[in-house]
Structure formats: C-alpha cells, structure tokens
Amino acid sequence: MSDSQYEPADAAPDEAALKRIAALRPEQLQAIDAVLMNACDGQWRKVASVVGRAMGGIPDRVPGIPDGFYAARVSGLVARGLLEFQGDLSRMRYSEVRLTMKPAGSV
C-alpha cells in the first residue's frame, strides 16, 4: 500500500477561508512568502514544519487563513525556483523543502 492510501491530500479551504484569502493584500502575500522562505535553509525540512513556523512568525497574521494556503504558497515558491522539494507537495506531511542550492560560480 502506498502512503496516499493512508492519508488524503491536504484539504482545500472552505468558502469562508477562500473569502479571507481573496482579501489578502499583495504586501500580506509578500510577507507570507518572506516568512516561509525564512523558515527554510539548506537542510530538508518537512513542509508541515515550515508552514507551522511561518504561521507562528507572521506579526500581523490574518486569522482564519488555513495551513493549506501556506502549503500552496510553498508550492508556488518551488515553482518559482526559490525552493527545492522532495516527496508529494499535495501532502505537506509527506514532502520536504529546502532553499535552492545554486551551483558554485553562479550569481
């Protein structure tokens, strides 16, 4: 049996959470991304741990934004090449991220 048979993918936000997410301002999204990036380093970290640290580290955190949204932001940072991942990003407890390792001599 695979891990996916034991635990489903992370839940999608409900309607109320979607409204709160839609109301986030660009600077709030930038702050979320910055805190997520600061929760990462060159070592592999569980996405659930990164998300938990980030949610606790945002000074003006908007209540009611679910952890799945933060996990989706991590996926966005991966897509932008800022983070590397291993595992299944649709399930934050089964995936890990770290800062992208740049080859020697790159800027």
Side-chain angles (χ1 to χ4, degrees):
M1 290 187 143
S2 70
D3 286 340
S4 63
Q5 293 172 327
Y6 293 109
E7 185 174 308
D10 297 332
D14 62 19
E15 188 174 330
L18 287 172
K19 287 180 183 179
R20 287 188 289 274
I21 291 166
L24 290 171
R25 297 183 311 277
E27 61 270 15
Q28 290 173 304
L29 294 172
Q30 290 172 353
I32 289 169
D33 289 349
V35 173
L36 288 166
M37 290 294 294
N38 286 335
C40 297
D41 57 24
Q43 301 296 315
W44 291 110
R45 306 278 181 220
K46 290 282 187 193
V47 172
S49 175
V50 170
V51 166
R53 288 181 59 200
M55 289 178 77
I58 297 177
D60 297 325
R61 181 173 170 243
V62 176
I65 303 294
D67 58 357
F69 174 74
Y70 290 82
R73 297 299 295 183
V74 168
S75 294
L77 294 169
V78 168
R80 290 170 40 201
L82 300 172
L83 297 175
E84 298 176 328
F85 82 99
Q86 60 184 16
D88 182 355
L89 277 177
S90 71
R91 297 163 62 223
M92 71 179 104
R93 289 182 49 212
Y94 293 89
S95 55
E96 297 176 323
V97 290
R98 68 179 179 190
L99 295 175
T100 299
M101 306 303 280
K102 295 186 176 155
S106 67
V107 180

